[in-house]
Amino acid sequence: MKRTPSPPPPIPRRPSVAVTVGGVVVGGGAAVVVQSMTNTDTADIAASVRQVLALAAAGSELVRLTVNSEAAAAAIPRIREELDRQGCNVPLVGDFHFTGHQLLQREPACAEALAKYRINPGNVGQGAQRDHRFAAMIESACRYQKAVRIGVNWGSMDQQLVARMMDANANAPQPLSGEALIREILITSALESAERAQELGLSREQLILSCKMSGVQDLIALYQALAARCDYSLHLGLTEAGMGNQGIIASTAALAVLLQQGIGDTIRISLTPRPGEERSEEVRVARQILQALELRSFEPAVIACPGCGRTSSDYFQRLAQEIEGFIQQRMPLWKDHYPGVESLKVAVMGCIVNGPGESRHADIGISLPGSGESPSAPVYEDGVKTATLKGENIGGEFQQILERYIARRYG
């Protein structure tokens, strides 16, 4: 009999207003949406299409592009047409700063082709100029029935709001600390901008908010406060997270805490890619965070031990890597033919200490011998030992067993 640990209770989600972005539902209890952003020159249509296709293939459900010039705005509808021609229906988001009001008015095809506009209140303008530009962008969203993310960033705050709130804080009986004041400014900017957008005719079902910072603790404290003060859908992301492990670890540390508290309806991991490195890594990290928290399942999980003195051979490490590669290669077919296969758990263990137990607790697992042990590898399916593999082709034989198991269980 298979003995499995009790599944963790589902994470209670913060109630939020559902927003539909080009057919993708954000918030309202829907699954947390993964999004990403291109780093190509948007005016380079061929390069932008290639990168959007790669991001979508990696699992990005929304893709944002910079719209910073008339050439970029004119390219958006052509990018949309080419993606549609190639069968890619991922919604596109336009990232506007400084001149977004002009571009949306001058390039109506761009305004129509995008599924969502991202507006940063700190980069719209000042005073009456700001009011006019912000209103023009919201009017375009109303005209074309598009969603809007009001994305506030601590690197580009509304300076008039900063001055106003700093003066008020200085005269307050109990002034906020500098860090707390920055967070309050960001939240106020987002909420006041959302309120103004609604006054201009945008519905709550078209609004998503974000307030991004680059410090883990700052971001956690900010979103906890923002979530307590509104029910808008929230976009999570640690801005300027960094490169490589630093960016991955910082983003995971911040987002995991918030997602565990039910905060966040869509996420982006803002990794700095190394020169020449593909952009899709940020999508994979986002998906891995959601899968590790058991908020979503994207592909079978391979459980493998870290190795120790009992596993001086690297065979089980190579086999774990081989199995992961096999799963990724087969997933496009499996997803079409075997619904639910994403939740499969596969164990590839390296010795007899924890190997048999972990293999029994997984859906299917193999326990390899450690150094100096009998060269045989028991296979467990649903907690029951079904085979013992020996010889030079243990990996290939296990792949065949895995293929049969998936067909039997999910077919």
Side-chain angles (χ1 to χ4, degrees):
M1 176 69 67
K2 181 182 179 184
R3 299 176 61 192
T4 58
S6 298
I11 297 173
R13 299 287 302 282
R14 161 188 168 270
S16 61
V17 177
V19 180
T20 301
V21 183
V24 175
V25 179
V26 176
V32 179
V33 173
V34 173
Q35 59 180 284
S36 60
M37 185 174 183
T38 61
N39 62 355
T40 57
D41 177 359
T42 305
D44 186 339
I45 295 170
S48 297
V49 167
R50 283 196 299 271
Q51 194 167 83
V52 173
L53 288 170
L55 291 167
S60 184
E61 293 157 312
L62 299 173
V63 177
R64 181 158 47 112
L65 299 97
T66 298
V67 188
N68 59 345
S69 67
E70 290 195 20
I76 290 292
R78 296 174 63 188
I79 291 169
R80 178 74 273 165
E81 289 171 5
E82 181 59 22
L83 292 170
D84 291 341
R85 190 185 70 80
Q86 297 196 39
C88 177
N89 61 359
V90 64
L92 301 180
V93 179
D95 194 63
F96 293 99
H97 297 273
F98 310 113
T99 59
H101 60 294
Q102 296 174 337
L103 297 175
L104 285 169
Q105 289 179 338
R106 293 175 183 172
E107 297 289 341
C110 168
E112 178 65 39
L114 293 169
K116 184 175 76 171
Y117 310 154
R118 188 273 181 139
I119 303 174
N120 182 344
N123 287 339
V124 174
Q126 300 297 326
Q129 181 189 66
R130 175 193 183 279
D131 295 341
H132 167 72
R133 292 177 177 180
F134 184 80
M137 298 177 76
I138 296 301
E139 286 165 6
S140 291
C142 293
R143 181 179 305 116
Y144 297 104
Q145 286 297 294
K146 303 299 180 179
V148 170
R149 171 162 70 96
I150 293 177
V152 186
N153 193 299
W154 82 312
S156 52
M157 293 188 288
D158 181 338
Q159 292 306 305
Q160 286 184 314
L161 178 63
V162 171
R164 186 186 90 202
M165 294 190 65
M166 286 183 68
D167 289 344
N169 189 62
N171 296 319
Q174 294 182 314
L176 298 172
S177 67
E179 294 81 2
L181 179 59
I182 289 174
R183 294 196 295 268
E184 185 62 24
I185 292 170
L186 290 172
I187 291 171
T188 300
S189 178
L191 293 178
E192 287 187 355
S193 297
E195 182 179 351
R196 179 58 181 150
Q198 288 178 250
E199 291 173 355
L200 292 166
L202 205 68
S203 73
R204 296 175 63 79
E205 290 75 19
Q206 291 172 269
L207 276 167
I208 297 172
L209 302 189
S210 71
C211 294
K212 290 191 175 183
M213 303 187 76
S214 60
V216 171
Q217 296 297 341
D218 286 327
L219 191 83
I220 292 170
L222 186 154
Y223 270 93
Q224 288 171 335
L226 177 61
R229 288 163 62 174
C230 72
D231 64 354
Y232 295 110
S233 290
L234 299 181
H235 168 111
L236 297 188
L238 189 72
T239 192
E240 293 103 26
M243 183 180 289
N245 287 340
Q246 174 184 322
I248 293 171
I249 292 167
S251 294
T252 303
L255 269 60
V257 171
L258 293 167
L259 291 166
Q260 182 68 25
Q261 295 174 358
I263 299 171
D265 302 290
T266 177
I267 65 172
R268 186 206 165 195
I269 308 301
S270 299
L271 296 181
T272 303
R274 291 179 173 82
E277 188 177 58
E278 63 173 323
R279 192 73 165 178
S280 302
E281 179 68 9
E282 67 178 55
V283 179
R284 288 190 286 271
V285 172
R287 285 160 58 102
Q288 288 166 359
I289 291 171
L290 295 177
Q291 181 144 338
L293 291 170
E294 299 189 4
L295 287 168
R296 294 187 66 179
S297 294
F298 297 102
E299 62 182 30
V302 178
I303 303 162
C305 66
C308 64
R310 288 179 294 272
T311 56
S312 57
S313 168
D314 67 353
Y315 184 80
F316 88 95
Q317 297 164 324
R318 289 186 283 111
L319 180 60
Q321 186 177 39
E322 182 182 334
I323 295 301
E324 282 195 341
F326 176 73
I327 287 172
Q328 291 172 3
Q329 176 189 355
R330 298 292 291 162
M331 268 305 291
L333 177 66
W334 289 347
K335 284 175 66 175
D336 289 340
H337 290 82
Y338 306 123
V341 70
E342 297 89 351
S343 61
L344 179 71
K345 288 183 172 59
V346 182
V348 182
M349 302 302 294
C351 81
I352 61 171
V353 174
N354 294 319
E358 288 283 2
S359 297
R360 289 191 188 97
H361 289 154
D363 296 308
I364 179 171
I366 184 170
S367 179
L368 295 164
S371 176
E373 296 169 2
S374 174
S376 61
V379 174
Y380 298 85
E381 300 177 50
D382 296 323
V384 177
K385 182 179 175 181
T386 59
T388 300
L389 305 182
K390 301 179 180 181
E392 300 296 323
N393 193 32
I394 289 177
E397 291 179 26
F398 183 68
Q399 289 178 22
Q400 293 176 16
I401 293 173
L402 176 59
E403 190 82 54
R404 291 194 297 269
Y405 177 86
I406 289 172
R408 184 173 67 251
R409 175 169 177 177
Y410 298 101

